[in-house]
Amino acid sequence: MLRRAILLLPFLILCAPQLLAEETAPSTVKLLTVGNSFSANATKHLPGLAKAGGKTLIHTPLVIGGASMQVHLDKAKLHEANPKDPKGSTPTSAA
């Protein structure tokens, strides 16, 4: 549990001011997470937090066990170019 909190802390430090700054923050926030089950656990409550702040969260998780960062990047580029391309999807990706 402590490890998860430590992993989440840098994310909160970087993103919380953007989510909380009502005048400068966009109404839609896009988030791409790359990782494993820890990244899924770390973002579990983000949709509710965004909604409570009056924001729309578009979260795309890329979770490919044992994959290199290059594999993640290649799939993200394919998905960005064509979200319907099956080569750019992962079992847990959401547009």
Side-chain angles (χ1 to χ4, degrees):
M1 188 63 136
L2 180 60
R3 180 177 176 185
R4 290 180 188 165
I6 291 170
L7 292 173
L8 185 57
L9 188 59
F11 172 79
L12 291 176
I13 290 170
L14 292 174
C15 295
Q18 293 175 2
L19 291 172
L20 297 175
E22 293 179 28
E23 297 161 345
T24 60
S27 60
T28 300
V29 178
K30 293 182 178 182
L31 174 66
L32 169 69
T33 54
V34 178
N36 55 23
S37 62
F38 289 115
S39 62
N41 292 339
T43 59
K44 182 178 179 179
H45 299 288
L46 283 180
L49 291 170
K51 186 176 180 181
K55 308 298 178 191
T56 300
L57 176 67
I58 298 175
H59 178 212
T60 303
L62 293 178
V63 180
I64 308 169
S68 68
M69 287 303 293
Q70 188 64 51
V71 170
H72 283 285
L73 179 61
D74 293 344
K75 285 187 173 285
K77 286 179 180 178
L78 288 170
H79 180 77
E80 185 69 24
N82 180 5
K84 294 182 180 183
D85 184 351
K87 293 179 183 175
S89 67
T90 63
T92 57
S93 66

